[in-house]
Amino acid sequence: GWKDAINTTIINFNNEKMQITWATRELFPNENVSFLYTFDEGKHKVWKPCTTYLLDQDYNSGCLFKTEGPTLAISIRNSNKSEELFSKQFKSDFYIKPNQPENVTFFWKEDTVTVSCNKPERAASCLRLELQYKSKFDEEWQSRICKCCSVREQGFDPRKCYSFRVRLRRRVPHCNVVNYSSDWEAETFWKNGTLLDSCDDDDVTSQSNTVIVLSCLLAVLLMMLILLILLCKWQRVQMSVLPAIPDPKYLFADLFNDHNGNLQEWLDKNDHVALQTKLEYEEPESITEAESQQEDGKNSDKQGPLEKNVTFSGAAENNDGKAAEIACLIPTSNTTASLAGFHILRNDDMYVML
């Protein structure tokens, strides 16, 4: 009975190769056992010795051989093959481990991805395609299993980078007595339908993009600052070399606002204003001049009579208008001026008021 209790591991690699292993150190310590197998189902079986042994510390712990049929019988014997230590017969098709999926393709549409692979030639109905994925923010893989050989999943965030891997699984218990799956296909990395070398590259790209944007902003700000400084300096140079010319529209605003561009009307009004302003400025001068004459008169009274009042006859007053309008006589320098019998010696700094 203990012979039937020996624990063996049976793997049929895609119905191409068989691998049988056992725990030799626990079951057969210090003994190098022999392994024989046959795919014959009749009474007259032809046993074949193992040609490729698997070793564990120089002891035979397994055998690898070609799959030749659906039914397999194995026998473990002592080193000289005289005594059988363990034997077993089983269906090799119930221990199939499928190969990796071939020609895996990813099709993206918005937040949905469809993964497909080539359909195996044999027993495709016994296979399932398993898709696993996770983002860099997930700690565990998320799994999706569908019939061979296409699986569809949705809800992917276009801003995240995802890792994907796929494999084929054998159906249990309909096709296998052991839950065997193929090895995982090479892991791929995707972001928003774009294949990447790794999700670390996505981080580097994001950092690079951030650095580029910041650099551009700093460059723009620096250029604006330089232009502002140059503009200020140019205004100073322009003001020193080319002084600003006043705009006539501010100096002659009343010409256009009050007189609608009528130059003659504007001149007439400005002449009146100018004359009034002149008179206002001349009156204080006249008062000052009169006060000065009064002071001179007082001084002359003290020193003696030096001046003589001049009286014009009515005939002289009634002469032509030009004589009445004479306001100032300016003789040549160092000359004597005669007026109504008086002789006045004058120089360049003197003038006579009439």
Side-chain angles (χ1 to χ4, degrees), residues 215-233:
S215 300
C216 293
L217 290 176
L218 290 177
V220 171
L221 292 177
L222 182 60
M223 289 295 296
M224 293 177 63
L225 179 61
I226 293 175
L227 291 176
L228 184 61
I229 295 174
L230 292 177
L231 180 61
C232 294
K233 290 188 175 182

Side-chain angles (χ1 to χ4, degrees), residues 167-211:
R167 66 179 179 181
L168 291 173
R169 298 183 60 174
R170 188 82 169 171
R171 294 180 62 189
V172 177
H174 304 86
C175 301
N176 261 33
V177 295
V178 181
N179 189 10
Y180 281 150
S181 302
S182 70
D183 295 335
W184 289 105
E185 180 67 18
E187 188 174 346
T188 56
F189 306 92
W190 297 80
K191 180 180 179 181
N192 196 21
T194 302
L195 179 64
L196 303 177
D197 293 335
S198 69
C199 286
D200 296 334
D201 295 340
D202 178 57
D203 296 336
V204 173
T205 303
S206 300
Q207 294 176 359
S208 301
N209 293 337
T210 303
V211 171

